[in-house]
Amino acid sequence: QVQLQESGPGLVKPSETLSLTCTVSGGSMSNYYWTWIRQPPGKRLEWIGNVYYSGSTNYNPSLESRLTISIDTSKNQFSLRLTSVTAADAAVYYCVGGATWLPDQWGQGTLVTVSS
Amino acid sequence: EIVLTQSPGTLSLSPGETATLSCRASQSVRSNYLAWYQRKPGQAPKILIYGASNRAIGIPDRLSGSGSGTDFTLTISRLEPEDFAVYYCQQYGSSPLTFGGGTKVEIK
């Protein structure tokens, strides 16, 4: 099984851009869907979107206008970029892998706070 | 989007008892693409069941999933100390993927 590790700033200012990277180790990124999921404090888990190893993406319509998910298989990484963040974007962000749309291999998660 | 409603919110049981968790979808889940996850404090969710009734690798047969369409159930027989956690259902048949609000199984 692959291992996933999120990295990126833990604090982002309102209206700025949140950028996170997930590094995949212990296996190839090929033929997998790579997903971002988040959980704001006290709220349910929210699927953000995914990227296939080929680069094709699928986004949650609620975030699509602000969201970019990309992949760099040469570095075994995929990334999330969310623009114009507000307090509502504060959450634990998870990167997850799966051979299908089912997210079944999770990173430990990283807490992102939005504050000036 | 499909809204998943889990019940009860909290289940208070003793070790050895059976837990029955419900997940109801606002519309039919395509191909019964319904998964269950377990999460313990400070840890990431761990997949237990996929396709409504298929156990993930390493999951004991004390845990079983059932249901179809809009009504799904996770049953945990003979509760062991490591089973006390929060459980989430998730549908992955339609985009956007959605999660239930969770059921906490706590020690009575």
Side-chain angles (χ1 to χ4, degrees):
Chain A
Q1 276 198 339
V2 297
Q3 289 81 48
L4 297 95
Q5 179 66 58
E6 305 87 354
S7 60
L11 178 64
V12 183
K13 292 183 169 59
S15 80
E16 295 193 344
T17 297
L18 183 166
S19 296
L20 296 174
T21 297
C22 183
T23 301
V24 179
S25 58
S28 169
M29 298 190 79
S30 297
N31 302 306
Y32 262 59
Y33 290 88
W34 303 99
T35 298
W36 288 99
I37 290 169
R38 70 181 183 180
Q39 186 168 34
K43 296 191 175 182
R44 62 180 61 191
L45 291 154
E46 179 181 29
W47 180 81
I48 297 171
N50 66 24
V51 58
Y52 194 47
Y53 80 103
S54 61
S56 64
T57 54
N58 299 278
Y59 296 156
N60 191 319
S62 68
L63 298 167
E64 188 164 12
S65 63
R66 301 189 289 130
L67 180 63
T68 303
I69 298 176
S70 58
I71 190 167
D72 186 341
T73 55
S74 67
K75 294 183 179 178
N76 265 31
Q77 293 179 333
F78 65 106
S79 300
L80 173 149
R81 186 171 178 271
L82 187 65
T83 62
S84 305
V85 299
T86 69
D89 295 309
V92 176
Y93 284 76
Y94 296 95
C95 61
V96 193
T100 67
W101 276 59
L102 173 68
D104 63 2
Q105 297 173 39
W106 294 61
Q108 282 301 300
T110 187
L111 176 64
V112 175
T113 301
V114 177
S115 175
S116 54
Chain B
E1 84 178 37
I2 296 177
V3 177
L4 299 177
T5 302
Q6 290 188 243
S7 61
T10 302
L11 206 47
S12 298
L13 295 167
S14 300
E17 293 191 304
T18 295
T20 302
L21 287 66
S22 173
C23 177
R24 178 162 290 177
S26 60
Q27 55 188 281
S28 186
V29 177
R30 182 177 72 88
S31 301
N32 294 327
Y33 284 160
L34 192 287
W36 290 94
Y37 297 85
Q38 176 195 65
R39 188 160 75 177
K40 296 180 179 179
Q43 296 184 17
K46 170 186 173 183
I47 189 164
L48 304 173
I49 301 287
Y50 64 94
S53 60
N54 302 290
R55 275 183 291 275
I57 295 172
I59 302 304
D61 59 8
R62 299 184 297 103
L63 279 72
S64 62
S66 62
S68 64
T70 60
D71 288 299
F72 300 89
T73 300
L74 175 68
T75 303
I76 310 172
S77 304
R78 304 182 302 281
L79 279 166
E80 297 192 2
E82 61 265 27
D83 297 328
F84 292 93
V86 179
Y87 293 83
Y88 297 95
C89 59
Q90 182 224 14
Q91 67 80 22
Y92 55 103
S94 304
S95 183
L97 280 62
T98 50
F99 291 84
T103 290
K104 181 180 182 180
V105 179
E106 65 177 21
I107 300 177
K108 187 174 182 180

